């Protein structure tokens, strides 16, 4: 049996939270949700019930990324954050604290 059988999925509603969002990521344990904004910020939302977006509350906003972000992706252990800018450049951030984005962490970029 496939553990991701979408034929039994139920639509409960959408969770977008406004305009200007371009990328999404979820912490591997389902307790945090990350929204990349087109202005280069990343919003971190805490989920009171893991994987249930209806329980999300904004916990912080990280500012100062160098470009508008179109996609975000974490390494599976949360130690590296990859951001793809709307300029099609990939930015790699080595996070000093896993799962905590910080625009001042050492980074590199490549196309």
């Amino acid at each position: 049996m496939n553990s991701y059988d979408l034929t039994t999925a139920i639509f409960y509603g959408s969770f977008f939270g406004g305009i200007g969002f371009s990328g999404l990521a979820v912490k591997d344990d389902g307790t945090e949700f990350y929204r990349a904004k087109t202005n280069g910020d990343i919003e971190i939302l805490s989920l009171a019930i893991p994987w249930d977006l209806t329980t999300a509350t904004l916990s912080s906003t990280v500012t100062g990324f160098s470009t508008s972000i179109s996609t975000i992706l974490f390494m599976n252990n949360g130690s590296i954050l990859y951001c793809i800018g709307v300029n099609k450049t990939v930015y790699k951030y080595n996070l000093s604290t896993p799962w905590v984005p910080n625009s001042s962490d050492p980074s590199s970029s490549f196309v």
Side-chain angles (χ1 to χ4, degrees):
M1 182 174 159
N2 185 345
S3 61
Y4 297 103
D5 182 2
L6 295 180
T7 62
T8 60
I10 299 171
F11 177 72
Y12 287 104
S14 61
F15 178 81
F16 193 63
I19 59 172
F21 297 101
S22 56
L24 307 172
V26 181
K27 189 174 179 180
D28 64 345
D29 64 1
T31 60
E32 290 185 326
F33 181 73
Y34 304 84
R35 296 191 298 197
K37 297 181 69 176
T38 54
N39 67 356
D41 294 350
I42 295 177
E43 290 184 342
I44 303 171
L45 296 98
S46 295
L47 304 176
I49 300 172
W51 303 104
D52 184 349
L53 296 179
T54 64
T55 67
T57 56
L58 181 64
S59 59
S60 64
T61 300
V62 183
T63 61
F65 288 91
S66 57
T67 187
S68 295
I69 303 168
S70 66
T71 304
I72 57 174
L73 176 69
F74 286 91
M75 185 172 214
N76 62 352
N77 65 3
S79 64
I80 296 175
L81 169 66
Y82 294 95
C83 297
I84 301 175
V86 294
N87 61 2
K88 300 181 183 173
T89 299
V90 177
Y91 298 88
K92 176 184 173 186
Y93 295 87
N94 298 307
L95 303 179
S96 54
T97 303
W99 300 104
V100 180
N102 185 338
S103 60
S104 64
D105 281 333
S107 66
S108 57
S109 63
F110 48 94
V111 177

XYZ file of all heavy atoms in Angstrom:
845
model
N 0.839 -1.181 0.000
C 0.000 0.000 0.000
C 0.880 1.239 0.000
O 1.855 1.334 0.711
C -0.896 -0.018 1.234
C -1.823 1.155 1.279
S -2.964 0.975 2.677
C -3.433 2.650 2.867
N 0.523 2.201 -0.799
C 1.258 3.460 -0.892
C 0.867 4.363 0.279
O -0.307 4.643 0.491
C 0.946 4.129 -2.236
C 1.760 5.375 -2.458
O 2.351 5.919 -1.542
N 1.805 5.825 -3.680
N 1.841 4.818 1.046
C 1.551 5.670 2.204
C 1.099 7.075 1.806
O 0.665 7.834 2.650
C 2.770 5.747 3.116
O 3.849 6.316 2.435
N 1.205 7.428 0.533
C 0.779 8.740 0.055
C -0.360 8.590 -0.950
O -0.318 9.107 -2.045
C 1.947 9.488 -0.589
C 3.068 9.773 0.384
C 4.230 9.036 0.377
C 2.934 10.778 1.323
C 5.254 9.298 1.274
C 3.943 11.047 2.235
C 5.097 10.308 2.199
O 6.104 10.569 3.084
N -1.378 7.885 -0.588
C -2.523 7.641 -1.464
C -3.428 8.869 -1.451
O -4.184 9.095 -0.509
C -3.276 6.401 -0.992
C -4.438 6.066 -1.896
O -4.648 6.769 -2.906
O -5.134 5.087 -1.589
N -3.356 9.672 -2.489
C -4.126 10.916 -2.551
C -5.577 10.711 -2.949
O -6.368 11.646 -2.915
C -3.450 11.896 -3.509
C -2.072 12.370 -3.071
C -1.485 13.341 -4.088
C -2.121 13.028 -1.701
N -5.948 9.473 -3.316
C -7.341 9.232 -3.686
C -8.266 9.376 -2.493
O -9.470 9.550 -2.649
C -7.507 7.829 -4.311
O -7.134 6.844 -3.344
C -6.680 7.686 -5.569
N -7.725 9.318 -1.276
C -8.537 9.479 -0.069
C -8.360 10.856 0.573
O -8.869 11.095 1.669
C -8.181 8.381 0.963
O -6.794 8.509 1.291
C -8.466 6.995 0.409
N -7.669 11.741 -0.099
C -7.409 13.073 0.454
C -8.693 13.885 0.554
O -9.605 13.747 -0.265
C -6.397 13.810 -0.410
N -8.756 14.731 1.565
C -9.897 15.619 1.779
C -9.385 17.051 1.774
O -8.420 17.387 2.457
C -10.581 15.317 3.129
C -11.107 13.876 3.150
C -11.710 16.301 3.388
C -11.589 13.436 4.515
N -10.028 17.928 1.005
C -9.638 19.334 0.941
C -10.309 20.081 2.086
O -11.530 20.115 2.193
C -10.042 19.941 -0.405
C -9.731 21.408 -0.515
C -8.422 21.836 -0.646
C -10.734 22.353 -0.478
C -8.108 23.184 -0.741
C -10.434 23.706 -0.572
C -9.122 24.115 -0.699
N -9.500 20.657 2.977
C -10.023 21.392 4.121
C -10.017 22.894 3.906
O -10.522 23.634 4.706
C -9.209 21.075 5.378
C -9.467 19.704 5.919
C -8.553 18.690 5.735
C -10.634 19.420 6.609
C -8.795 17.417 6.240
C -10.887 18.163 7.107
C -9.964 17.159 6.919
O -10.201 15.917 7.411
N -9.391 23.366 2.869
C -9.299 24.787 2.626
C -7.882 25.163 2.262
O -6.986 24.323 2.261
N -7.678 26.400 1.941
C -6.341 26.834 1.543
C -5.731 27.688 2.638
O -6.434 28.317 3.427
C -6.400 27.605 0.230
O -7.196 28.761 0.378
N -4.419 27.691 2.652
C -3.696 28.514 3.612
C -2.642 29.277 2.832
O -1.648 28.714 2.419
C -3.027 27.652 4.685
C -2.229 28.463 5.660
C -2.858 29.110 6.692
C -0.864 28.591 5.527
C -2.140 29.872 7.590
C -0.135 29.351 6.412
C -0.782 29.991 7.446
N -2.901 30.532 2.591
C -1.938 31.313 1.829
C -1.484 32.511 2.626
O -0.323 32.834 2.657
C -2.523 31.707 0.476
C -1.507 32.242 -0.478
C -0.472 31.444 -0.916
C -1.566 33.531 -0.914
C 0.483 31.930 -1.788
C -0.618 34.034 -1.786
C 0.397 33.230 -2.221
N -2.391 33.164 3.300
C -2.013 34.225 4.211
C -1.674 35.554 3.570
O -0.928 36.326 4.135
N -2.182 35.838 2.405
C -1.950 37.141 1.807
C -1.230 37.063 0.480
O -1.072 35.995 -0.093
N -0.794 38.206 0.006
C -0.133 38.266 -1.292
C 1.375 38.367 -1.106
O 1.854 38.682 -0.027
C -0.653 39.462 -2.125
C -0.397 40.791 -1.379
C -2.114 39.292 -2.452
C -0.703 42.006 -2.197
N 2.106 38.081 -2.153
C 3.543 38.262 -2.123
C 4.332 37.066 -1.641
O 5.494 37.207 -1.284
N 3.726 35.882 -1.615
C 4.436 34.681 -1.206
C 4.795 33.867 -2.435
O 4.007 33.722 -3.352
C 3.601 33.847 -0.235
C 3.312 34.575 1.035
C 2.088 35.168 1.251
C 4.290 34.699 2.004
C 1.831 35.866 2.415
C 4.047 35.402 3.176
C 2.813 35.981 3.374
N 6.008 33.314 -2.417
C 6.462 32.620 -3.623
C 7.029 31.238 -3.362
O 7.101 30.437 -4.273
C 7.530 33.465 -4.320
O 8.586 33.745 -3.417
N 7.459 30.932 -2.156
C 8.051 29.628 -1.878
C 7.610 29.110 -0.537
O 7.321 29.881 0.377
N 7.539 27.788 -0.421
C 7.086 27.159 0.805
C 8.016 26.021 1.183
O 8.547 25.328 0.323
C 5.679 26.583 0.627
C 4.601 27.513 0.110
C 3.335 26.720 -0.191
C 4.307 28.586 1.138
N 8.193 25.807 2.480
C 8.938 24.648 2.984
C 8.354 24.294 4.343
O 7.817 25.154 5.041
C 10.425 24.956 3.111
N 8.453 23.025 4.702
C 7.971 22.563 5.997
C 9.100 21.807 6.679
O 9.788 20.999 6.054
C 6.738 21.644 5.847
C 6.227 21.189 7.205
C 5.626 22.359 5.091
N 9.302 22.076 7.966
C 10.302 21.353 8.748
C 9.961 19.869 8.744
O 8.783 19.499 8.739
C 10.326 21.907 10.175
C 11.459 21.393 11.027
C 11.478 22.099 12.370
C 12.599 21.578 13.239
N 12.609 22.277 14.541
N 10.960 19.029 8.761
C 10.742 17.598 8.586
C 9.827 16.963 9.629
O 9.202 15.951 9.373
C 12.069 16.836 8.510
C 12.888 16.906 9.783
O 12.605 17.747 10.657
O 13.824 16.100 9.911
N 9.697 17.568 10.808
C 8.795 17.010 11.814
C 7.407 17.654 11.778
O 6.532 17.332 12.585
C 9.396 17.126 13.215
C 9.587 18.565 13.670
O 9.244 19.516 12.925
O 10.100 18.750 14.794
N 7.201 18.587 10.827
C 5.895 19.197 10.642
C 5.520 20.267 11.648
O 4.383 20.704 11.694
N 6.463 20.741 12.445
C 6.146 21.723 13.476
C 6.354 23.171 13.045
O 5.917 24.087 13.741
C 6.976 21.486 14.747
O 8.366 21.584 14.422
C 6.672 20.125 15.355
N 7.042 23.380 11.919
C 7.244 24.742 11.411
C 7.031 24.768 9.903
O 7.327 23.812 9.198
C 8.641 25.262 11.742
C 8.821 25.544 13.210
C 10.168 26.163 13.532
O 11.170 25.822 12.870
O 10.216 26.982 14.454
N 6.536 25.909 9.464
C 6.204 26.148 8.069
C 6.922 27.434 7.664
O 6.898 28.415 8.419
C 4.678 26.316 7.997
C 4.104 26.553 6.650
C 4.032 25.529 5.726
C 3.582 27.787 6.326
C 3.450 25.738 4.488
C 3.003 28.008 5.086
C 2.935 26.973 4.171
N 7.592 27.431 6.544
C 8.388 28.573 6.095
C 7.787 29.128 4.808
O 7.550 28.376 3.863
C 9.837 28.151 5.837
C 10.484 27.503 7.033
C 10.308 26.146 7.299
C 11.244 28.249 7.925
C 10.879 25.549 8.409
C 11.824 27.658 9.044
C 11.633 26.305 9.269
O 12.194 25.721 10.368
N 7.535 30.442 4.773
C 6.989 31.094 3.584
C 8.005 32.109 3.081
O 8.365 33.043 3.797
C 5.686 31.824 3.892
C 4.568 30.939 4.327
C 3.241 31.641 4.375
N 3.199 32.755 5.329
C 2.083 33.305 5.777
N 0.920 32.849 5.388
N 2.117 34.315 6.626
N 8.466 31.905 1.862
C 9.348 32.891 1.226
C 8.478 33.969 0.609
O 7.460 33.681 -0.012
C 10.199 32.224 0.161
N 8.895 35.211 0.788
C 8.140 36.329 0.236
C 8.899 36.933 -0.940
O 10.111 36.837 -1.024
C 7.903 37.376 1.321
C 7.055 36.835 2.472
C 6.803 37.882 3.524
C 5.879 38.942 2.980
N 5.515 39.951 3.974
N 8.174 37.554 -1.818
C 8.787 38.145 -3.002
C 9.679 39.332 -2.671
O 10.460 39.756 -3.506
C 7.702 38.572 -4.024
O 6.767 39.434 -3.373
C 6.983 37.360 -4.591
N 9.621 39.849 -1.443
C 10.511 40.945 -1.054
C 11.824 40.436 -0.461
O 12.650 41.209 -0.011
C 9.808 41.886 -0.070
C 9.523 41.238 1.267
O 9.774 40.048 1.471
N 8.981 42.013 2.189
N 12.012 39.098 -0.417
C 13.243 38.528 0.110
C 13.175 38.100 1.562
O 14.145 37.585 2.100
N 12.038 38.307 2.217
C 11.878 37.869 3.602
C 11.452 36.406 3.651
O 10.895 35.878 2.693
C 10.800 38.694 4.317
C 11.180 40.155 4.489
O 12.351 40.511 4.225
O 10.287 40.939 4.876
N 11.690 35.767 4.795
C 11.158 34.434 5.057
C 10.382 34.504 6.355
O 10.901 34.942 7.384
C 12.269 33.374 5.171
C 12.992 33.218 3.832
C 11.687 32.036 5.628
C 14.149 32.241 3.866
N 9.113 34.109 6.306
C 8.283 34.061 7.502
C 8.303 32.639 8.047
O 8.218 31.673 7.298
C 6.848 34.473 7.194
C 6.716 35.932 6.868
C 5.291 36.368 6.665
O 4.407 35.528 6.448
O 5.064 37.572 6.723
N 8.413 32.525 9.362
C 8.402 31.227 10.026
C 7.120 31.143 10.844
O 6.851 32.008 11.685
C 9.626 31.051 10.939
C 10.908 31.235 10.130
C 9.591 29.678 11.617
C 12.163 31.300 10.973
N 6.328 30.126 10.563
C 5.084 29.912 11.281
C 5.200 28.635 12.101
O 5.699 27.623 11.615
C 3.911 29.795 10.302
C 3.644 31.075 9.512
C 4.293 30.986 8.160
C 2.176 31.314 9.386
N 4.761 28.686 13.344
C 4.742 27.510 14.212
C 3.397 26.822 14.069
O 2.357 27.493 14.021
C 4.946 27.914 15.670
O 6.226 28.461 15.841
N 3.427 25.498 14.013
C 2.195 24.720 13.909
C 1.923 24.049 15.256
O 2.724 23.232 15.722
C 2.313 23.662 12.807
C 2.671 24.206 11.416
C 2.848 23.076 10.419
C 1.616 25.172 10.937
N 0.817 24.399 15.896
C 0.479 23.825 17.197
C 0.261 22.318 17.086
O 0.611 21.569 17.993
C -0.768 24.501 17.771
N -0.317 21.897 15.978
C -0.489 20.473 15.683
C 0.362 20.192 14.445
O 0.123 20.777 13.379
C -1.957 20.119 15.412
C -2.815 20.449 16.636
C -2.092 18.644 15.026
C -4.298 20.325 16.395
N 1.397 19.353 14.575
C 2.263 19.096 13.417
C 1.470 18.739 12.163
O 0.494 17.994 12.222
C 3.121 17.916 13.877
C 3.186 18.074 15.363
C 1.801 18.580 15.744
N 1.877 19.325 11.062
C 1.321 19.123 9.721
C -0.061 19.734 9.521
O -0.631 19.631 8.446
C 1.310 17.638 9.341
C 2.672 17.034 9.406
C 3.152 16.205 10.378
C 3.750 17.240 8.500
N 4.457 15.871 10.126
C 4.852 16.503 8.969
C 3.896 17.984 7.327
C 6.074 16.477 8.328
C 5.111 17.958 6.675
C 6.183 17.213 7.177
N -0.630 20.384 10.513
C -1.959 20.978 10.387
C -1.815 22.483 10.221
O -1.627 23.216 11.192
C -2.805 20.656 11.621
C -4.239 21.160 11.505
O -4.551 21.939 10.568
O -5.050 20.769 12.360
N -1.885 22.959 8.981
C -1.668 24.376 8.689
C -2.729 25.280 9.282
O -2.504 26.481 9.429
C -1.570 24.588 7.180
C -0.390 23.901 6.496
C -0.418 24.170 4.998
C 0.925 24.361 7.090
N -3.881 24.720 9.643
C -4.911 25.552 10.261
C -4.522 25.988 11.667
O -5.154 26.875 12.229
C -6.275 24.822 10.298
O -6.156 23.670 11.134
C -6.728 24.436 8.902
N -3.478 25.392 12.249
C -3.020 25.764 13.598
C -1.791 26.671 13.557
O -1.146 26.877 14.588
C -2.703 24.503 14.425
O -1.568 23.831 13.871
C -3.892 23.554 14.472
N -1.467 27.208 12.394
C -0.253 28.017 12.227
C -0.395 29.403 12.835
O -1.438 30.042 12.723
C 0.077 28.141 10.746
N 0.690 29.848 13.473
C 0.796 31.225 13.950
C 2.184 31.739 13.577
O 3.172 31.004 13.637
C 0.612 31.337 15.481
O 1.553 30.495 16.131
C -0.790 30.946 15.896
N 2.250 33.003 13.201
C 3.524 33.606 12.808
C 4.431 33.726 14.027
O 4.065 34.326 15.025
C 3.293 34.983 12.191
C 4.531 35.724 11.701
C 5.197 34.975 10.556
C 4.166 37.137 11.274
N 5.626 33.108 13.956
C 6.549 33.192 15.087
C 7.673 34.191 14.840
O 8.161 34.801 15.779
C 7.117 31.827 15.447
O 7.807 31.263 14.368
N 8.105 34.356 13.576
C 9.137 35.355 13.284
C 9.237 35.595 11.785
O 8.756 34.806 10.974
C 10.494 34.917 13.838
O 10.931 33.740 13.209
N 9.891 36.692 11.450
C 10.177 37.036 10.057
C 11.666 37.320 9.950
O 12.209 38.100 10.732
C 9.386 38.275 9.604
O 7.989 38.006 9.739
C 9.697 38.634 8.154
N 12.312 36.670 9.004
C 13.740 36.871 8.772
C 13.877 37.775 7.559
O 13.332 37.486 6.491
C 14.461 35.519 8.529
C 15.953 35.735 8.361
C 14.185 34.552 9.662
N 14.612 38.875 7.716
C 14.771 39.846 6.635
C 16.228 39.894 6.185
O 17.104 39.313 6.816
C 14.335 41.246 7.088
O 15.166 41.653 8.176
C 12.883 41.265 7.531
N 16.462 40.591 5.095
C 17.826 40.863 4.679
C 18.415 39.932 3.645
O 19.607 40.006 3.365
N 17.608 39.041 3.079
C 18.144 38.202 2.017
C 18.386 39.071 0.788
O 17.721 40.073 0.576
C 17.204 37.027 1.720
C 17.207 35.998 2.811
C 16.308 36.076 3.857
C 18.140 34.976 2.811
C 16.325 35.150 4.877
C 18.168 34.040 3.824
C 17.255 34.124 4.866
N 19.344 38.684 -0.024
C 19.864 39.568 -1.064
C 18.967 39.725 -2.286
O 19.211 40.580 -3.106
C 21.240 39.071 -1.513
O 21.155 37.749 -1.969
N 17.946 38.922 -2.410
C 17.112 38.992 -3.601
C 15.717 38.494 -3.285
O 15.486 37.871 -2.249
C 17.718 38.143 -4.743
O 16.973 38.363 -5.938
C 17.716 36.665 -4.410
N 14.793 38.760 -4.170
C 13.470 38.168 -4.046
C 13.605 36.661 -4.195
O 14.316 36.169 -5.066
C 12.540 38.714 -5.127
O 12.329 40.085 -4.929
N 12.934 35.923 -3.339
C 13.065 34.468 -3.309
C 11.877 33.836 -4.017
O 10.731 34.174 -3.740
C 13.129 33.968 -1.848
C 14.284 34.632 -1.098
C 13.231 32.453 -1.798
C 14.247 34.422 0.396
N 12.161 32.897 -4.920
C 11.072 32.185 -5.579
C 10.883 30.788 -5.014
O 9.798 30.236 -5.073
C 11.303 32.112 -7.089
O 12.438 31.327 -7.375
N 11.932 30.196 -4.455
C 11.864 28.833 -3.916
C 12.798 28.707 -2.731
O 13.883 29.287 -2.741
C 12.287 27.803 -4.993
O 11.470 27.982 -6.148
C 12.148 26.384 -4.500
N 12.385 27.960 -1.708
C 13.266 27.659 -0.582
C 13.258 26.153 -0.346
O 12.254 25.483 -0.568
C 12.876 28.413 0.709
C 11.431 28.119 1.136
C 13.102 29.887 0.566
C 11.051 28.724 2.463
N 14.400 25.658 0.100
C 14.558 24.228 0.355
C 15.605 24.045 1.434
O 16.671 24.663 1.378
C 15.007 23.520 -0.931
C 15.319 22.047 -0.845
C 14.051 21.244 -0.595
C 15.988 21.579 -2.127
N 15.306 23.222 2.413
C 16.258 22.908 3.470
C 16.896 21.552 3.210
O 16.232 20.638 2.710
C 15.561 22.832 4.835
C 15.168 24.159 5.401
C 13.924 24.699 5.146
C 16.038 24.864 6.213
C 13.543 25.924 5.682
C 15.671 26.095 6.754
C 14.425 26.617 6.486
N 18.160 21.409 3.609
C 18.772 20.093 3.660
C 17.993 19.298 4.709
O 17.452 19.882 5.651
C 20.248 20.201 4.037
C 20.991 18.918 3.991
S 22.753 19.256 4.215
C 23.415 17.993 3.179
N 17.933 17.978 4.586
C 17.057 17.188 5.459
C 17.348 17.333 6.952
O 16.471 17.113 7.769
C 17.053 15.715 5.058
C 18.420 15.075 5.172
O 19.413 15.748 5.417
N 18.482 13.780 4.982
N 18.531 17.732 7.349
C 18.829 17.946 8.770
C 18.720 19.416 9.178
O 19.028 19.776 10.311
C 20.209 17.396 9.129
C 21.340 18.125 8.431
O 21.130 19.097 7.713
N 22.548 17.643 8.645
N 18.306 20.291 8.260
C 18.100 21.698 8.560
C 19.352 22.547 8.634
O 19.288 23.717 8.973
N 20.521 21.979 8.308
C 21.775 22.720 8.460
C 22.090 23.647 7.286
O 22.919 24.529 7.417
C 22.940 21.746 8.651
O 23.107 20.961 7.488
N 21.439 23.441 6.166
C 21.680 24.271 4.983
C 20.330 24.706 4.412
O 19.389 23.920 4.345
C 22.481 23.511 3.911
C 23.872 23.159 4.439
C 22.595 24.328 2.621
C 24.694 22.291 3.499
N 20.256 25.956 4.040
C 19.080 26.510 3.383
C 19.476 26.927 1.977
O 20.475 27.635 1.795
C 18.552 27.726 4.155
C 17.476 28.568 3.465
C 16.190 27.773 3.297
C 17.228 29.843 4.255
N 18.725 26.475 0.997
C 18.919 26.905 -0.382
C 17.761 27.816 -0.754
O 16.597 27.494 -0.496
C 18.925 25.715 -1.339
C 20.094 24.786 -1.137
C 19.977 23.650 -0.348
C 21.320 25.046 -1.737
C 21.048 22.792 -0.156
C 22.398 24.195 -1.550
C 22.256 23.068 -0.760
O 23.315 22.217 -0.567
N 18.080 28.961 -1.312
C 17.075 29.889 -1.820
C 17.340 30.101 -3.301
O 18.481 30.357 -3.697
C 17.159 31.240 -1.110
S 16.822 31.187 0.642
N 16.308 29.999 -4.092
C 16.443 30.307 -5.514
C 15.796 31.665 -5.714
O 14.612 31.862 -5.403
C 15.780 29.246 -6.401
C 16.414 27.887 -6.132
C 15.913 29.640 -7.877
C 15.753 26.741 -6.864
N 16.584 32.601 -6.181
C 16.090 33.946 -6.404
C 15.325 34.042 -7.705
O 15.472 33.210 -8.597
N 14.499 35.083 -7.820
C 13.783 35.300 -9.073
C 14.753 35.592 -10.214
O 14.406 35.475 -11.376
C 12.728 36.417 -8.945
C 11.612 36.003 -7.996
C 13.345 37.723 -8.510
N 16.013 35.918 -9.862
C 17.052 36.142 -10.857
C 17.697 34.824 -11.315
O 18.688 34.823 -12.017
C 18.120 37.083 -10.309
C 18.808 36.523 -9.066
O 18.529 35.416 -8.615
N 19.713 37.300 -8.507
N 17.129 33.679 -10.855
C 17.565 32.322 -11.215
C 18.927 31.954 -10.635
O 19.570 31.035 -11.097
C 17.529 32.117 -12.725
C 16.147 32.294 -13.305
C 16.115 32.059 -14.788
C 14.703 32.328 -15.285
N 14.591 32.285 -16.712
N 19.351 32.663 -9.604
C 20.583 32.333 -8.904
C 20.227 31.518 -7.666
O 19.261 31.822 -6.978
C 21.337 33.606 -8.490
O 21.666 34.349 -9.667
C 22.611 33.290 -7.731
N 21.000 30.468 -7.387
C 20.800 29.652 -6.194
C 21.731 30.171 -5.101
O 22.930 30.310 -5.318
C 21.088 28.163 -6.480
C 20.937 27.336 -5.209
C 20.182 27.642 -7.578
N 21.174 30.454 -3.946
C 21.938 30.922 -2.799
C 21.959 29.820 -1.747
O 20.920 29.264 -1.405
C 21.314 32.193 -2.207
C 21.293 33.339 -3.174
C 20.229 33.514 -4.047
C 22.353 34.232 -3.228
C 20.214 34.565 -4.957
C 22.349 35.288 -4.127
C 21.278 35.446 -4.988
O 21.267 36.485 -5.884
N 23.132 29.516 -1.233
C 23.295 28.485 -0.214
C 23.677 29.161 1.096
O 24.656 29.903 1.155
C 24.386 27.505 -0.634
C 24.704 26.461 0.402
C 25.867 25.590 -0.064
C 26.314 24.639 1.015
N 27.525 23.900 0.627
N 22.905 28.912 2.154
C 23.174 29.464 3.471
C 23.497 28.320 4.424
O 22.679 27.414 4.616
C 21.963 30.247 4.003
C 21.662 31.477 3.185
C 20.835 31.404 2.063
C 22.213 32.696 3.526
C 20.566 32.530 1.309
C 21.946 33.835 2.773
C 21.122 33.739 1.665
O 20.855 34.852 0.918
N 24.694 28.332 5.002
C 25.083 27.374 6.028
C 24.552 27.906 7.349
O 25.049 28.908 7.856
C 26.602 27.216 6.078
C 27.150 26.673 4.780
O 26.695 25.655 4.295
N 28.116 27.372 4.206
N 23.544 27.266 7.892
C 22.861 27.788 9.072
C 23.612 27.438 10.351
O 23.941 26.279 10.586
C 21.437 27.237 9.135
C 20.573 27.530 7.900
C 19.188 26.921 8.072
C 20.483 29.019 7.620
N 23.875 28.445 11.161
C 24.585 28.211 12.414
C 23.708 27.444 13.405
O 24.215 26.720 14.257
C 25.067 29.523 13.017
O 23.999 30.428 13.157
N 22.399 27.607 13.296
C 21.437 26.835 14.078
C 20.491 26.152 13.092
O 19.841 26.844 12.300
C 20.625 27.740 15.022
O 21.528 28.459 15.866
C 19.658 26.934 15.865
N 20.422 24.829 13.098
C 19.548 24.140 12.144
C 18.106 24.639 12.201
O 17.590 24.936 13.272
C 19.630 22.668 12.573
C 20.965 22.557 13.229
C 21.152 23.877 13.940
N 17.508 24.780 11.035
C 16.114 25.182 10.843
C 15.846 26.633 11.220
O 14.687 27.035 11.303
C 15.162 24.253 11.598
C 15.266 22.835 11.161
C 15.884 21.816 11.816
C 14.784 22.268 9.936
N 15.806 20.655 11.093
C 15.133 20.909 9.929
C 14.087 22.786 8.844
C 14.810 20.055 8.883
C 13.760 21.931 7.798
C 14.116 20.591 7.825
N 16.901 27.424 11.445
C 16.709 28.837 11.788
C 17.381 29.685 10.715
O 18.589 29.925 10.768
C 17.284 29.169 13.187
C 17.071 30.644 13.511
C 16.651 28.287 14.244
N 16.605 30.128 9.717
C 17.193 30.948 8.659
C 17.762 32.244 9.220
O 17.179 32.860 10.101
C 16.016 31.244 7.736
C 14.987 30.226 8.069
C 15.191 29.882 9.510
N 18.914 32.633 8.699
C 19.569 33.868 9.111
C 20.307 34.392 7.898
O 21.230 33.752 7.405
C 20.521 33.594 10.281
C 21.132 34.855 10.820
O 21.194 35.877 10.138
N 21.580 34.799 12.052
N 19.922 35.557 7.438
C 20.527 36.110 6.225
C 21.990 36.479 6.417
O 22.708 36.703 5.445
C 19.741 37.315 5.735
O 19.726 38.323 6.737
N 22.469 36.528 7.664
C 23.876 36.883 7.883
C 24.788 35.658 7.984
O 25.992 35.798 8.128
C 24.024 37.727 9.147
O 23.648 36.986 10.284
N 24.209 34.447 7.946
C 25.041 33.240 7.943
C 25.877 33.204 6.663
O 25.452 33.706 5.627
C 24.178 31.980 8.039
C 23.702 31.701 9.455
O 24.390 32.117 10.400
O 22.655 31.055 9.602
N 27.059 32.589 6.739
C 27.909 32.505 5.539
C 27.145 31.893 4.372
O 26.367 30.961 4.544
C 29.055 31.594 5.984
C 29.065 31.683 7.459
C 27.646 31.911 7.876
N 27.349 32.434 3.200
C 26.618 31.933 2.040
C 27.486 31.942 0.808
O 28.548 32.552 0.763
C 25.371 32.765 1.806
O 25.724 34.088 1.444
N 27.019 31.259 -0.181
C 27.630 31.288 -1.505
C 26.520 31.280 -2.525
O 25.376 30.951 -2.204
C 28.547 30.079 -1.695
O 27.834 28.878 -1.512
N 26.821 31.650 -3.734
C 25.792 31.639 -4.766
C 26.375 31.081 -6.043
O 27.583 31.113 -6.281
C 25.259 33.054 -5.019
O 26.270 33.905 -5.498
N 25.508 30.501 -6.831
C 25.918 29.951 -8.127
C 24.703 29.925 -9.028
O 23.569 29.952 -8.589
C 26.527 28.549 -7.966
C 25.730 27.604 -7.110
C 24.819 26.731 -7.668
C 25.896 27.604 -5.727
C 24.086 25.863 -6.872
C 25.168 26.726 -4.923
C 24.251 25.861 -5.501
N 24.983 29.919 -10.324
C 23.899 29.917 -11.307
C 23.761 28.526 -11.878
O 24.704 27.828 -12.100
C 24.173 30.922 -12.428
C 23.076 30.870 -13.478
C 24.268 32.316 -11.849
